[in-house]
Amino acid sequence: MSVLANIPQEVLEHVAFFAATDDFLGPPHGLVALLMVDRRTHAALSMSSNPYFWSRIFAYKFDLPCNTHRPSERSLGPPEICEEFKLRCTLLQRIRRRTDCLATSYTLSPTHRDALRSILWMAYLMMLENDGKNDKQLRDYAGFDAWLKDFLFHPSGASLAAWSVKIDLWPPNDERTALALWLFWYMLKPDDYMTDDDTAFREASGILKLFALGAHQYPLCYPPWNEFAPPCRTRGASAIKHFGHSLKMAPPASAPPAILAYLNLANKLSVSWDTVHYMKPPCATPPSLAQGLSCAEWEAEWNRGLHLADTSKPFGTTYSGAFIPGSLEGVWEGLFTYTEFTAYAALLSGAPPTVLQRSLVAHHPHLWKLREHHLYASEDPDAPEVRPIAPGNPLRGYIPNGCQFSEQTDGILFQEAGRVEPILYHSWSSIKKNGPPPGKLVDVFVTGEGHSAWGQFNLIGRIRPCDGFISMSKEYVDGDRGRWLYRSYMVGNAEGNLSGRWRDTLSPPDVLGYEGCFVMSRRR
């Protein structure tokens, strides 16, 4: 008989928990020997007979709170946590072995594609739920940052990006690459690429440049930017196994994280052959270098993915939680870029990606001061109907042509053609002071002004309800520089950055136009 046979259950669990958590990183290898002592010990501690004990180990090694404080119809008890524990341990060990990040040919096998899909979705959801522990398991145990680098940028990377460029094709715009680019931004440490041997920098920046500046190949958002109230979902959802349940989530667009990562790396160089800096602006801080981030930073990304995939809920004009009220209010600084017009015209005519990789990119700093204006509608059936401004011209920040507006101390007053009475959108500053009006948020406008080396300008635009997509018309005060359209997502929350693209307003909205990218960060 084993010496453990007479130990009380609670004492045995205490010993086992110490063995399982002696090393924070990786699976609980310290339990293996204990589980093999005898049948009684195995029965007392196995995952099938004691899921509560294993859920305690999971909570020690991984971040759990985000799954419990987010509204969900799914139960999340010890059995579901154990399912997730097994999945994570299996996939983290697979990442650590580096068996999937490279490809042996341009065509991936179905088994390889499935493995990549499981790894990337698991890691993406872990980072959306990260309070510190998940990042450590991915980075310090599994070496996922190095795995991502090989997957995205290695000449034989399984993203097939470098493979594609070698044969004059654009890198695939698929779910795997989009997830990997988001994860690359979450885990980026720019100094890792600023070494004497610039091979890693050149490989990374060369691929990121294509996703950031290749607007004709890599859309900024799904649904299309020119639809304020899309009639239907335009991209299929993915069914992911998450805490023992099938979770439906829409894959994110690849451009926003690529823009942030590309401009962050480019801004690190004092001199670059393909970049022209006109006064160097501050750089967006990658999440890995920001202090005190929690999973609350990524609530908008989480809600966007769920809402765009959920066919059971109304889509077009319902606010999804993908935009956090008040998050745009304040002063922002950053940069915008543009490429040579002839090079960009060649791209729109079918030029290969190497044309973009070789083209010069100019960087200009600019500064914005933004104000939010909100419209609320009462949910009381007897209350007067509140109808938002109709969806308008996508080249004017979704504002209807002919709609007049005037900004006041307590908000912005709109007079829409065909309406008898004007409608007041309350400013965020008045809402913070007096509280929001009763009811639910139904529309958000943004106004502001700013300046760059090209002069002073005014901004006005709107937030798309279904996914928090921001579209703003930028018009220079002197009129010589014309009107431009700036479209973006807020990536993050308290430490978030605006990441997006500008485009000309002379091209019709359903036609590819002249575009560049931009990033903005809060002025500290």
Side-chain angles (χ1 to χ4, degrees):
M1 179 178 291
S2 165
V3 69
L4 300 178
N6 296 320
I7 293 180
Q9 176 75 15
E10 60 271 21
V11 176
L12 182 61
E13 286 188 19
H14 185 78
V15 172
F17 186 81
F18 178 82
T21 58
D22 181 49
D23 187 356
F24 168 75
L25 295 176
H29 295 298
L31 268 182
V32 175
L34 196 58
L35 288 168
M36 296 174 65
V37 168
D38 58 32
R39 290 182 180 178
R40 185 257 177 185
T41 305
H42 186 276
L45 298 176
S46 72
M47 192 173 280
S48 58
S49 63
N50 196 347
Y52 175 76
F53 167 68
W54 285 85
S55 69
R56 288 177 54 216
I57 301 173
F58 180 96
Y60 180 86
K61 289 179 172 287
F62 297 97
D63 295 307
L64 189 60
C66 282
N67 296 289
T68 55
H69 78 234
R70 285 179 177 141
S72 175
E73 298 174 359
R74 303 178 299 144
S75 62
L76 186 63
E80 290 76 27
I81 293 172
C82 288
E83 284 295 310
E84 185 69 12
F85 201 178
K86 288 188 288 186
L87 177 68
R88 291 190 185 183
C89 288
T90 300
L91 294 180
L92 286 172
Q93 290 179 97
R94 185 165 186 138
I95 294 168
R96 187 180 170 97
R97 292 194 297 269
R98 306 279 283 275
T99 55
D100 303 297
C101 57
L102 300 179
T104 56
S105 73
Y106 189 70
T107 303
L108 302 181
S109 70
T111 303
H112 194 178
R113 290 198 300 268
D114 289 345
L116 289 172
R117 182 179 183 276
S118 298
I119 286 170
L120 290 165
W121 269 114
M122 178 205 71
Y124 178 69
L125 296 178
M126 283 178 66
M127 291 306 292
L128 291 188
E129 296 166 351
N130 179 48
D131 279 327
K133 296 177 183 178
N134 288 353
D135 177 82
K136 288 184 181 297
Q137 295 290 357
L138 283 166
R139 189 189 303 273
D140 298 340
Y141 172 73
F144 190 58
D145 48 347
W147 188 99
L148 276 175
K149 190 186 300 184
D150 283 347
F151 174 81
L152 286 168
F153 311 128
H154 191 279
S156 300
S159 69
L160 306 180
W163 285 79
S164 301
V165 175
K166 279 190 296 187
I167 56 176
D168 281 342
L169 295 176
W170 290 87
N173 183 28
D174 55 26
E175 174 187 87
R176 297 185 297 273
T177 304
L179 292 170
L181 286 167
W182 279 89
L183 287 161
F184 182 76
W185 171 243
Y186 290 152
M187 306 188 80
L188 175 62
K189 291 186 175 180
D191 287 346
D192 292 347
Y193 295 82
M194 301 296 119
T195 60
D196 292 336
D197 180 2
D198 66 351
T199 302
F201 174 84
R202 286 187 291 103
E203 289 177 346
S205 62
I207 297 299
L208 292 171
K209 187 177 185 178
L210 300 179
F211 285 98
L213 298 175
H216 64 305
Q217 293 288 336
Y218 308 106
L220 187 60
C221 61
Y222 301 100
W225 67 270
N226 55 3
E227 295 179 351
F228 180 75
C232 60
R233 290 157 174 83
T234 58
R235 203 180 195 201
S238 293
I240 314 133
K241 188 176 182 184
H242 188 57
F243 284 92
H245 296 273
S246 179
L247 176 71
K248 274 190 163 185
M249 184 165 277
S254 57
I259 292 168
L260 284 164
Y262 168 67
L263 292 180
N264 194 282
L265 290 180
N267 205 51
K268 280 285 184 179
L269 290 182
S270 56
V271 177
S272 174
W273 70 267
D274 69 342
T275 302
V276 180
H277 289 285
Y278 296 94
M279 298 169 53
K280 210 166 196 180
C283 200
T285 303
S288 63
L289 302 182
Q291 299 297 315
L293 287 190
S294 71
C295 60
E297 186 74 13
W298 312 113
E299 284 298 312
E301 281 73 17
W302 177 270
N303 289 328
R304 181 182 302 123
L306 291 181
H307 184 73
L308 293 180
D310 189 352
T311 55
S312 68
K313 294 178 181 177
F315 188 47
T317 58
T318 300
Y319 267 85
S320 60
F323 175 75
I324 298 171
S327 59
L328 283 178
E329 187 88 5
V331 179
W332 297 78
E333 57 186 348
L335 62 89
F336 66 95
T337 74
Y338 59 90
T339 55
E340 302 162 285
F341 185 78
T342 53
Y344 202 86
L347 294 174
L348 297 184
S349 299
T354 49
V355 171
L356 178 55
Q357 286 185 323
R358 291 194 298 263
S359 65
L360 286 172
V361 181
H363 292 188
H364 275 280
H366 59 169
L367 185 139
W368 296 355
K369 184 177 182 181
L370 301 179
R371 297 172 294 280
E372 291 182 24
H373 308 274
H374 297 190
L375 182 68
Y376 287 81
S378 174
E379 298 182 272
D380 184 347
D382 298 326
E385 181 185 7
V386 174
R387 186 164 49 90
I389 299 296
N393 184 355
L395 294 174
R396 200 185 172 210
Y398 304 128
I399 301 172
N401 293 328
C403 183
Q404 304 298 315
F405 56 89
S406 60
E407 196 165 353
Q408 305 174 355
T409 55
D410 56 348
I412 187 169
L413 196 65
F414 285 96
Q415 182 63 64
E416 188 178 8
R419 276 197 183 194
V420 177
E421 296 292 330
I423 183 168
L424 177 67
Y425 281 62
H426 297 273
S427 67
W428 179 248
S429 59
S430 70
I431 290 171
K432 283 206 309 183
K433 181 180 178 181
N434 305 318
K440 64 179 181 178
L441 180 65
V442 293
D443 203 9
V444 178
F445 272 84
V446 183
T447 60
E449 53 276 329
H451 63 82
S452 70
W454 290 3
Q456 294 184 325
F457 50 81
N458 294 317
L459 296 158
I460 184 165
R462 207 167 183 179
I463 311 300
R464 187 163 67 178
C466 66
D467 63 347
F469 186 66
I470 304 158
S471 186
M472 290 190 291
S473 174
K474 171 185 177 181
E475 188 165 5
Y476 283 88
V477 173
D478 58 16
D480 292 341
R481 292 285 184 173
R483 180 186 293 168
W484 304 85
L485 186 69
Y486 277 67
R487 303 149 299 148
S488 62
Y489 280 118
M490 169 77 85
V491 178
N493 183 12
E495 298 294 330
N497 304 281
L498 295 174
S499 175
R501 294 193 179 116
W502 57 262
R503 66 160 278 159
D504 75 278
T505 57
L506 299 177
S507 307
D510 56 348
V511 172
L512 293 171
Y514 181 40
E515 301 197 24
C517 59
F518 73 96
V519 295
M520 302 294 286
S521 303
R522 285 187 183 86
R523 194 172 206 179
R524 302 298 180 185

